Amino acid sequence: MSAPFIAKRPPPDFVLCTDRWTQPFWDAARQHRLVAARCASCGRFRMPPTPFCPNCRSQDIHWSTLRGEGVVYSYTVVSRAVLEGMDQHIPYVPAVVSLPDADGVRLISNVVDAPIDSIRVGSPVRVVWDQISPHVVVPRFTLIV
Amino acid sequence: MTDDMRRKTAVVGLGATPYYKRGESAPQTREELAGKAILAAVADSGLRVEDIDGFSYFAGGFDTGYLMETLGIPEVRFSAGLTGTGGGSAGCVGLAAAAIVSGQAEVVVCVGASQQGRQRFGTVTSSYDASPETAFFAAAGLVGPGHMFALLARRHMELYGTTRDHFAEVAMTLRRNAQRNPAALIRKPLTREDYFNAPMLADPHCLFDFCLESDGAVAVIVTSAARARHLRQRPVYVLASAQGGEASWGRSIYWMNMPDESFASSGHYSVARRLYQMAGIGPHEVDVAQIYDHFTSQVLMQLEDYGFCKKGEGGPFVADGNISYPDGTLPINTDGGQLSCGYVWGMTHVREAVEQIRGTAVNQVAAANIVLVTGGPSIIPVSGLLLQREP
């Protein structure tokens, strides 16, 4: 238990499915740009993107490009394989990451490539890009040290 | 009129299959398990199967036509369910009551079953079809509810100083209840040492913070209060039931954008308020509570949301022994709960509440007059139910 455990990437068996409202997020990810949906009418951020702004019901979206820095809002450490083939991917760290330059809207992602015992609620993190298949890039986050 | 439903209906029949460890109910089918529970509930009530004229479900429910075909039910006038998942387990009884009070049906079955031989609930999230919505959590490796609720638990610890000892207290208390219950699946003693030696599955949740994965079915029969008084069993009155929830909770664990004040919660706050309002009582009048315990941490958050203690004080509340049977101020999950007795999507809690009101529970609370049942903290709708002994 003395060796530092490094947070790995979660199992890559992820099938991306999109619609016209979510596609721009994943398109931007392929270009290594972290974006968030913002209502073009009232300015409210919302993630995941949905067809209407819950604040003003507008359907107009402006996709804001973010700095890619966030704060760990909460996290868990998955250290037991509950699916076949998961063994080689544990431990990994699912995390809820708050994005200050999108009014604190949160993404469900992972903290990766960091010593697990250094991860805290409130840790500052920076986006890293994880190409998990030829056409799918997923944002993860790593600790800013 | 918020009090329309009060005491106008009653649970008059209760039936269940044995609880099985995951997969051990095979080769029975899930519909067969439900059928056995329904037939047992009908026999318990003294009614005839032909008297059933309604079905009330949650979490997708059952094919009513198939149940009619196999059980020989000539006609139904009501077949509906709460949307969502386990959140509706308590509220399906309220839906049955609503059907009866509005004259749409007279004898309504509420039934739930779980069978995990093919798909265990611990990894159920990973079995969902990919959709534009799942893309925003599936990539993170959140393959089961335990991973997701761990994120809420961690936040609760951070905000309020909740500790793993608090979670352990819930697990050990319910295990003691299960030890006295012959129907419970796990009856070994559980010590603090056992708890802290258990494998960590999704930090801060260890093995004993997770409910069991089991098979089984539970059914209850609801009818009008007037008819209930002429049947075999002591009527268990439906005092109130509420369901739904606030947009700020919404898709909750699949969304994770709840405002800070409700993120580390069970999502039941508004439902609890409406439930008490409909019943005309406060939390101090609840004698026993059957709290949906898929995870120990969510027991703490429901105790808060249902007003048994202040927000953030669920940990100290259980540490002070309040939830213990028989001496606590609010014994909970007196059958051992989903953590130690059996998991049937919350319907075990409905069963145990009925037993408490009837006075037939294994861990009987002497003055059980009003019993609370909560549905699973999950996506909207969540739900609550208050049952009452004859006034």
Side-chain angles (χ1 to χ4, degrees), chain A residues 73-74 76-77 92 106 110 140, chain B residues 139-141 151 203 257-258 260:
Chain A
Y73 182 80
S74 195
T76 179
V77 183
Y92 63 89
R106 300 178 206 131
N110 303 87
R140 319 269 190 207
Chain B
L151 294 161
D203 193 338
N257 271 279
M258 301 83 93
D260 206 28

Side-chain angles (χ1 to χ4, degrees), chain A:
Chain A
M1 294 295 285
S2 55
F5 285 103
I6 301 296
K8 298 184 185 175
R9 283 160 170 69
D13 49 357
F14 163 64
V15 177
L16 178 62
C17 179
T18 62
D19 59 24
R20 61 181 289 217
W21 299 101
T22 67
Q23 186 70 44
F25 178 86
W26 299 103
D27 287 346
R30 283 176 66 183
Q31 301 162 6
H32 292 195
R33 279 191 305 119
L34 186 67
V35 298
R38 185 174 202 184
C39 176
S41 177
C42 76
R44 164 91 65 105
F45 281 97
R46 66 181 190 272
M47 284 300 291
T50 45
F52 302 92
C53 170
N55 189 45
C56 73
R57 284 86 194 183
S58 166
Q59 292 203 273
D60 299 328
I61 285 185
H62 168 74
W63 286 93
S64 282
T65 298
L66 309 178
R67 289 198 318 276
E69 292 181 1
V71 174
V72 174
Y73 182 80
S74 195
Y75 68 96
T76 179
V77 183
V78 177
S79 45
R80 170 171 279 210
V82 289
L83 291 175
E84 210 161 313
M86 223 169 113
D87 305 62
Q88 57 185 315
H89 302 285
I90 53 173
Y92 63 89
V93 180
V96 179
V97 174
S98 172
L99 303 170
D101 54 351
D103 289 345
V105 77
R106 300 178 206 131
L107 289 183
I108 303 170
S109 181
N110 303 87
V111 178
V112 298
D113 303 336
I116 285 176
D117 57 10
S118 303
I119 301 168
R120 300 276 185 279
V121 171
S123 292
V125 289
R126 181 179 54 239
V127 72
V128 291
W129 297 100
D130 191 5
Q131 180 109 32
I132 62 172
S133 67
H135 300 291
V136 179
V137 175
V138 172
R140 319 269 190 207
F141 290 84
T142 194
L143 294 181
I144 297 174
V145 284

